[in-house]
Amino acid sequence: MEEVNNNDIEEKSISDSKNSTVRNDVIKIAWPVLIELLLGSLFGMIDMMMLGRIPDQSLAAASVAAVGMTNQPLFIGLSLVQALNVGGTAMIARYFGAKQNDRMETVLKHVILLSMTLLVIPLTILGIIYTDNILNLMGAEPDALEAGRYYFKIVMIGFVFQSFNMSISAALRGVGDTRTPMRVNLMCNFLNVIGNALLIYGLLGFPSLGVTGAGISTALSQVIACVLLFIYVIKGESIIKLDLRSRFTFDKNIMYNLVKIGLPASIEQMFLRVGILIFVRIVAGLGTVIYAAHQIALNILSLSFQPGQAFGIAASSLVGRSLGAKDHEKAEAYAKKTRRIGSLISTFMAVIFFFFGRQLVGLYSTDPLIIESASGALKIIAFVQPFQSSQLILAGALRGAGDTFWPLVATFVGVLIVRVVLAYIFIIIMGWGLTGAWIAVFIDQFVRWVFVYIRFRTGKWKHVKIR
């Protein structure tokens, strides 16, 4: 009997040790990403607050609405670049786990070249030439169009550098180096906030440029971040290296993997952004002030969005690395632990949004209608959190395994069908206004969670092969 008890104690000790190791690995990779994303969102919130506090209230509302409308098409471009980066992160994590370090640099070069030539440069040119057409398509009223025209052109130039920055950051995260992107991006976000204060309000002798000044500051911060990360990888200080002297040759296996993993992720992002564009177009019909309230609610939502994203990135890296080392059990343990920790953090933030929504919105605007509308939306957002966080993290685990098809299905059904159709019914037909829009978001997130959770439970993602 005593021998059995000793065996039980020993097995429990081994289990506790494994659990502790998994938790430590998750936190080690996730916390720098979480800090980076949370503070990045916080800086974004401060930017929006600065625009919302422009003394002329009508100009302030137009500026906030303009940033929201210009961000949507910009996010389409960023999402397509990020989809290609998903393939890069998954492959680099796999090669790192399999100790095939020589292939990681080739992956990064392929990702950068493909994203720049096929996506970034063409989209930048189109964005600059067709600025007014794009903003009109977004439903911008004359005041928002006037405020956002030059802002959009400037941030599209910054998009080139931001995309380069994202590709390098994704490669570094694939090998678990999340601290370097954190340090670089936090420093540049801090500089962006200072630049915004100087150029929006015209402090210390700088010109008062309003929302255009915010665009200039944002673009410059992206240039600085790009330069710093580029220097880091070409100096060879990281496991990820970029040797500009070595000759580049296309690798058909890497191209196959990028298409296999990245194509569904790209289509998913297209569905997501098209769905959100239609959704935004419906909400914009409620008027500039209500749309400004919606944008403020989205801006605050982005803060609670970040734990799911951070732990989803950690899950991608750790799951990919474990599958590269052919340790399926550890891959599943990492996925479950990231979901548990990330969901706890998101739920805590949801409680704050529910009870202190009015105070948070009051930091952005003094307009009573905006405060009332946006704080009501935050109460619904609080209920979105548990499903949103779990869905983001499990989808990150699937992507890390190279299983990008089911996140695509979840997004197509949830965003492009459920959210858009219900938003039209709730806003246009039933007249529920902004509340109806956010109820549609809640149902969309729940549907996506169901799809991703069921796929994860099948375990089939553990057997996805890459070349």
Short mmCIF file of all heavy atoms in Angstrom, two decimals, residues 15 22 39 65 182 190 221 224 236 313 397 447:
data_model
loop_
_atom_site.label_atom_id
_atom_site.label_comp_id
_atom_site.label_asym_id
_atom_site.label_seq_id
_atom_site.Cartn_x
_atom_site.Cartn_y
_atom_site.Cartn_z
N SER A 15 3.75 15.25 -12.76
CA SER A 15 2.68 15.99 -13.43
C SER A 15 2.72 17.47 -13.08
O SER A 15 2.58 18.33 -13.95
CB SER A 15 1.33 15.39 -13.04
OG SER A 15 0.28 16.13 -13.60
N VAL A 22 5.15 24.03 -18.47
CA VAL A 22 4.27 24.53 -19.53
C VAL A 22 3.81 25.94 -19.22
O VAL A 22 3.85 26.83 -20.07
CB VAL A 22 3.05 23.58 -19.72
CG1 VAL A 22 1.99 24.24 -20.59
CG2 VAL A 22 3.49 22.26 -20.33
N LEU A 39 -0.06 48.05 -24.10
CA LEU A 39 0.43 49.44 -24.10
C LEU A 39 0.27 50.07 -25.48
O LEU A 39 0.01 51.27 -25.59
CB LEU A 39 1.89 49.49 -23.64
CG LEU A 39 2.11 49.16 -22.16
CD1 LEU A 39 3.58 49.28 -21.79
CD2 LEU A 39 1.27 50.05 -21.25
N ALA A 65 -14.17 60.03 -36.23
CA ALA A 65 -14.86 59.21 -37.25
C ALA A 65 -13.94 58.95 -38.44
O ALA A 65 -13.91 57.84 -38.99
CB ALA A 65 -16.13 59.91 -37.70
N MET A 182 8.73 43.74 -28.60
CA MET A 182 8.09 44.52 -27.54
C MET A 182 8.85 45.81 -27.28
O MET A 182 8.26 46.90 -27.26
CB MET A 182 8.00 43.71 -26.24
CG MET A 182 7.42 44.51 -25.07
SD MET A 182 7.71 43.75 -23.44
CE MET A 182 9.48 44.03 -23.23
N PHE A 190 5.55 55.19 -27.94
CA PHE A 190 5.74 56.32 -27.03
C PHE A 190 6.11 57.58 -27.81
O PHE A 190 5.56 58.67 -27.57
CB PHE A 190 6.83 55.99 -26.00
CG PHE A 190 7.12 57.10 -25.05
CD1 PHE A 190 6.19 57.46 -24.07
CD2 PHE A 190 8.32 57.80 -25.11
CE1 PHE A 190 6.46 58.50 -23.19
CE2 PHE A 190 8.59 58.83 -24.23
CZ PHE A 190 7.66 59.18 -23.26
N SER A 221 6.80 57.03 -36.69
CA SER A 221 7.09 56.01 -35.67
C SER A 221 7.26 54.64 -36.33
O SER A 221 8.09 53.84 -35.89
CB SER A 221 5.98 55.97 -34.62
OG SER A 221 4.78 55.46 -35.15
N ILE A 224 10.80 54.41 -37.82
CA ILE A 224 11.82 54.17 -36.78
C ILE A 224 11.81 52.71 -36.34
O ILE A 224 12.86 52.07 -36.21
CB ILE A 224 11.58 55.11 -35.58
CG1 ILE A 224 11.80 56.56 -35.99
CG2 ILE A 224 12.51 54.75 -34.41
CD1 ILE A 224 11.34 57.58 -34.96
N GLY A 236 22.96 40.06 -36.85
CA GLY A 236 23.16 38.68 -36.41
C GLY A 236 23.08 38.48 -34.92
O GLY A 236 23.65 37.52 -34.38
N ILE A 313 -0.69 34.31 -30.00
CA ILE A 313 0.66 34.33 -30.59
C ILE A 313 1.56 33.34 -29.86
O ILE A 313 2.33 32.60 -30.48
CB ILE A 313 1.25 35.76 -30.54
CG1 ILE A 313 0.52 36.66 -31.54
CG2 ILE A 313 2.75 35.75 -30.83
CD1 ILE A 313 0.84 38.13 -31.41
N ALA A 397 -3.54 28.61 -31.81
CA ALA A 397 -2.96 27.27 -31.71
C ALA A 397 -3.12 26.50 -33.02
O ALA A 397 -2.17 25.85 -33.50
CB ALA A 397 -3.61 26.50 -30.56
N VAL A 447 -20.50 32.37 -32.27
CA VAL A 447 -20.52 31.40 -33.37
C VAL A 447 -19.09 31.01 -33.75
O VAL A 447 -18.79 29.81 -33.97
CB VAL A 447 -21.27 31.99 -34.58
CG1 VAL A 447 -21.06 31.13 -35.84
CG2 VAL A 447 -22.76 32.11 -34.28
#
